[in-house]
Amino acid sequence: MKIAQKNKILETCLTAGRIMIESGSEMYRVEDTMNRIAYNAGIQKSVVFTTPTGLFIGIENQPYVQLGPVSVRTINLEKVENVNTASRLFATKEITLDQLSIRLKKIDQHTPYFPIWMQILAAAAVSAFLMIVFSGEYDWLDFIPAAIVGAIGYAVFSEVNRLTSIRFIGEFLGSFSIGITAYLLTKYHLGVDLDNIIIGAVMPLVPGVAITNSIRDMLAGHLLSGMVRGMEALLSAFAIGTGIALIFRFVI
């Protein structure tokens, strides 16, 4: 196998792994996908090392190694599924390595997101229904207020994340807006139970997938990535809690 071909294989594996890490995939799934792509491309034994901020791949007993940074980390399971699908098509010889590389670049750059209005509408629905679930009572009087507060909080969270790259500030300002909006609704008798409204409204901001992936990584033996992701989820939860706590401390 020529050097250029080996480098092409490693580059394709890196692209696939980077997309999956940036999209919130578990580390063992990332490593498995990269190893399978390398094996199906003709590399019998590849060496992969992944972290939340960078990944490495090489060929065992050969001086071929490539590394790539991971600059952003978010949750986009559609990208993870698309990469897995492309990897399976390559494994069954339905597409070539060049076609796989082109498809991965398209997945990375052109995977569509749901429009922001739909995300806000979904956040409103999640907030309202989970308020009923977590409140432990059928508090239908706060169903609409919880939906409104949850939509406002998620809208602030999304807009702040769009405007700045500072981590956790979006969660903080989103939860702060949830607290102040819920307080105003109950103050002017448009809502009944402040606690129930806040409980439901913060649910779209809670890093549930990050917590789950952190635990799964640690159970799979990826202690470094598991602890890093767990710390990120903990800081997100701390930012959410701080935004709500400020309302209870200084406003209510």
Side-chain angles (χ1 to χ4, degrees), residues 14 21 27 49-56 67-71 73:
L14 276 181
I21 293 176
M27 289 299 177
F49 179 73
T50 58
T51 71
T53 56
L55 62 165
F56 306 79
L67 58 91
V70 178
S71 56
R73 288 177 298 280

Side-chain angles (χ1 to χ4, degrees), residues 156-204:
V156 172
F157 165 76
S158 300
E159 184 64 16
V160 171
N161 284 342
R162 186 184 68 83
L163 295 175
T164 180
S165 59
I166 301 175
R167 294 297 306 274
F168 313 118
I169 191 68
E171 288 90 339
F172 170 75
L173 293 179
S175 63
F176 185 84
S177 64
I178 286 172
I180 195 68
T181 307
Y183 167 72
L184 292 175
L185 287 179
T186 54
K187 179 180 179 180
Y188 293 104
H189 307 292
L190 299 175
V192 177
D193 194 313
L194 176 65
D195 293 338
N196 288 352
I197 295 174
I198 291 177
I199 288 172
V202 299
M203 285 299 111

Side-chain angles (χ1 to χ4, degrees), residues 1 10 15 22 32 37 44 93 139 182 184 226 229 242 247:
M1 185 181 297
L10 297 182
T15 302
E22 290 180 348
D32 180 68
I37 292 175
Q44 296 299 315
K93 309 300 181 184
D139 184 11
L184 292 175
R229 284 182 165 178
T242 301
I247 300 300

Side-chain angles (χ1 to χ4, degrees), residues 21 24 27 52-53 70-75 167-168 171 205 207 210-211 214 224-240:
I21 293 176
M27 289 299 177
T53 56
V70 178
S71 56
V72 296
R73 288 177 298 280
T74 183
I75 302 297
R167 294 297 306 274
F168 313 118
E171 288 90 339
L205 305 183
I211 296 173
S214 170
L224 176 62
S225 61
M227 288 188 291
V228 170
R229 284 182 165 178
M231 183 56 66
E232 284 187 338
L234 183 62
L235 290 175
S236 293
F238 177 77
I240 294 170

Side-chain angles (χ1 to χ4, degrees), residues 12-219:
T12 303
C13 292
L14 276 181
T15 302
R18 178 183 57 77
I19 294 172
M20 295 181 74
I21 293 176
E22 290 180 348
S23 302
S25 176
E26 308 93 325
M27 289 299 177
Y28 70 86
R29 190 186 304 275
V30 174
E31 292 187 357
D32 180 68
T33 300
M34 294 175 67
N35 282 322
R36 287 179 182 274
I37 292 175
Y39 180 82
N40 292 319
I43 296 177
Q44 296 299 315
K45 187 65 175 178
S46 58
V47 180
V48 177
F49 179 73
T50 58
T51 71
T53 56
L55 62 165
F56 306 79
I57 184 170
I59 303 175
E60 191 174 79
N61 299 322
Q62 295 188 35
Y64 299 100
V65 178
Q66 289 193 19
L67 58 91
V70 178
S71 56
V72 296
R73 288 177 298 280
T74 183
I75 302 297
N76 191 333
L77 299 183
E78 184 175 0
K79 280 190 175 183
V80 176
E81 172 60 25
N82 289 342
V83 171
N84 283 331
T85 300
S87 175
R88 294 188 188 99
L89 292 175
F90 180 64
T92 57
K93 309 300 181 184
E94 296 181 48
I95 59 176
T96 64
L97 181 65
D98 290 334
Q99 291 173 328
L100 174 62
S101 179
I102 293 172
R103 181 173 293 220
L104 290 175
K105 291 177 181 178
K106 289 182 178 179
I107 292 171
D108 188 24
Q109 299 174 4
H110 302 296
T111 299
Y113 286 87
F114 288 106
I116 187 62
W117 67 266
M118 188 176 293
Q119 296 179 40
I120 294 174
L121 186 62
V126 168
S127 300
F129 286 106
L130 289 184
M131 184 274 296
I132 299 295
V133 172
F134 288 112
S135 66
E137 57 189 31
Y138 294 103
D139 184 11
W140 297 107
L141 294 176
D142 289 322
F143 188 85
I144 299 300
I148 295 173
V149 173
I152 293 173
Y154 189 83
V156 172
F157 165 76
S158 300
E159 184 64 16
V160 171
N161 284 342
R162 186 184 68 83
L163 295 175
T164 180
S165 59
I166 301 175
R167 294 297 306 274
F168 313 118
I169 191 68
E171 288 90 339
F172 170 75
L173 293 179
S175 63
F176 185 84
S177 64
I178 286 172
I180 195 68
T181 307
Y183 167 72
L184 292 175
L185 287 179
T186 54
K187 179 180 179 180
Y188 293 104
H189 307 292
L190 299 175
V192 177
D193 194 313
L194 176 65
D195 293 338
N196 288 352
I197 295 174
I198 291 177
I199 288 172
V202 299
M203 285 299 111
L205 305 183
V206 173
V209 175
I211 296 173
T212 302
N213 286 348
S214 170
I215 296 173
R216 294 182 68 175
D217 279 342
M218 287 191 285
L219 292 178

